[in-house]
Amino acid sequence: MAVVTRDGETGAAAGASRPAAATRLLASRLFASMAGLDWLAKVWWTCLSISLFAGLWELCWAMGWADPKLLPPPHIFLDNIAEQGRFFNTATRWQVGTSMSEGPSAFESVLITGAATTMRVFVGLVLASVLAIVVGVLVRYYRFFDRLVLPTITLLSPVSPIAWLPVAIFLFGIGNAPAIFMVVVALFFHMVLATINQIDTVNTNLINVARTMGASKPQIYARVIVPAILPGMLQVLRMNLFGAWMVVLVAESTGVGYGMGQVIMLARNTFNPSLVFFTIAVIGVLGFTFDWLLRLAQRRILYWLPDTAERLRVL
């Protein structure tokens, strides 16, 4: 709509609004492109970090500081992926009358074995997290439960997960259950203590405000305390993710049937360093992907929290 000014000039306001709209549109497109570039920058720095590590490894081999028979560089153990991948066929290797050439291909064997180990880590992580949060909340909710359960949890917390390996075999035998049990035991006790510590550090002002508004004790725990400890518990969950990967490899090495731990034991028994480092590379990729998915879920769940890393970098 035309606008008449004091000087009789029409359309001046409309003409002025068009550059402003164009500027806003350009700024929005610029921010969108910067977001895309930020994602590409993270990928580029990740590739650069891995390449630098591999380059230093290759340099040690080129300078003669590393024996290629004991510490083969990446270009050696990655060059024969198809040959090393066939050793991942641990599911059918021990069957009578089955040769190494039968069964899934090398690529399929790597996928099946990696998926089996990842499944055990994921199931154990979920079970340990749910049980730990429930027990931690009950410890602080009921004084009787606190006095009855907390001393036992504190007593068992320092015990190494490897010490539970015979117990897992006695209880569950051979299969997926002992590996999942090992992951749960390795994480449960520490996560219970972490949950209790997170509850104790909840801001009392939040609890007092809820009481002033007439909230009951169950409502305070459900709507104040549990949401307040959620950010800290997700951080604890992420830190325990790496511990879960360490424990599941030990459990799988005892004869779960098939898994990354079985491949590591096979490489050790046959003195195959290339298979060892190739398996380590596969475990690293799986762990990195798992951690990236967990961080992505954390950002989506805790969308209201600021990015403290970027805030601290400007200091």
Side-chain angles (χ1 to χ4, degrees), residues 15-154:
S17 62
R18 292 172 183 171
T23 303
R24 288 194 297 268
L25 180 60
L26 181 61
S28 62
R29 291 180 178 178
L30 180 61
F31 289 146
S33 63
M34 288 177 63
L37 292 176
D38 182 65
W39 182 82
L40 292 176
K42 291 181 180 179
V43 173
W44 185 85
W45 281 108
T46 301
C47 296
L48 179 62
S49 176
I50 298 174
S51 301
L52 180 61
F53 175 76
L56 292 175
W57 195 343
E58 293 284 352
L59 179 63
C60 293
W61 168 80
M63 298 296 292
W65 298 337
D67 188 351
K69 296 181 180 179
L70 300 177
L71 296 173
H75 81 273
I76 291 181
F77 67 80
L78 291 178
D79 185 54
N80 53 356
I81 292 180
E83 180 182 352
Q84 302 299 335
R86 62 189 178 90
F87 292 104
F88 281 73
N89 185 17
T90 57
T92 59
R93 179 180 294 112
W94 309 114
Q95 296 180 5
V96 178
T98 303
S99 63
M100 290 290 295
S101 59
E102 298 181 5
S105 62
F107 180 73
E108 292 173 346
S109 299
V110 173
L111 290 181
I112 293 173
T113 305
T117 301
T118 305
M119 179 272 297
R120 296 174 186 126
V121 172
F122 178 76
V123 173
L125 196 65
V126 171
L127 289 177
S129 304
V130 174
L131 292 176
I133 293 176
V134 171
V135 172
V137 171
L138 290 177
V139 165
R140 280 297 176 257
Y141 191 89
Y142 296 105
R143 184 180 298 273
F144 174 77
F145 197 82
D146 183 355
R147 295 175 177 177
L148 184 65
V149 175
L150 187 57
T152 303
I153 294 176
T154 307

Side-chain angles (χ1 to χ4, degrees), residues 4 30 58 93 98 132 148 150 153-154 175 184 187 197 223 234 236 248 260 262 273 275 288 295 300:
V4 180
L30 180 61
E58 293 284 352
R93 179 180 294 112
T98 303
L148 184 65
L150 187 57
I153 294 176
T154 307
V184 173
L187 306 182
N197 181 69
R223 300 185 181 182
L234 288 177
V236 173
V248 76
M260 308 296 290
Q262 281 284 311
L275 180 59
F288 180 86
R295 285 187 285 118
R300 295 296 180 90

Side-chain angles (χ1 to χ4, degrees), residues 173-258:
I174 302 300
N176 291 323
I180 296 175
F181 174 79
M182 288 283 292
V183 174
V184 173
V185 168
L187 306 182
F188 171 74
F189 299 106
H190 299 285
M191 293 191 69
V192 169
L193 297 179
T195 302
I196 296 173
N197 181 69
Q198 291 289 330
I199 293 176
D200 292 340
T201 56
V202 173
N203 192 347
T204 56
N205 293 329
L206 300 177
I207 300 177
N208 293 332
V209 170
R211 287 175 177 173
T212 303
M213 299 179 66
S216 61
K217 186 176 180 180
Q219 290 176 334
I220 292 175
Y221 270 85
R223 300 185 181 182
V224 177
I225 294 179
V226 173
I229 68 174
L230 187 59
M233 292 309 301
L234 288 177
Q235 290 290 343
V236 173
L237 180 64
R238 183 189 172 194
M239 294 298 103
N240 282 288
L241 169 65
F242 304 107
W245 276 98
M246 298 176 190
V247 173
V248 76
L249 295 178
V250 176
E252 289 178 345
S253 64
T254 61
V256 169
Y258 56 95

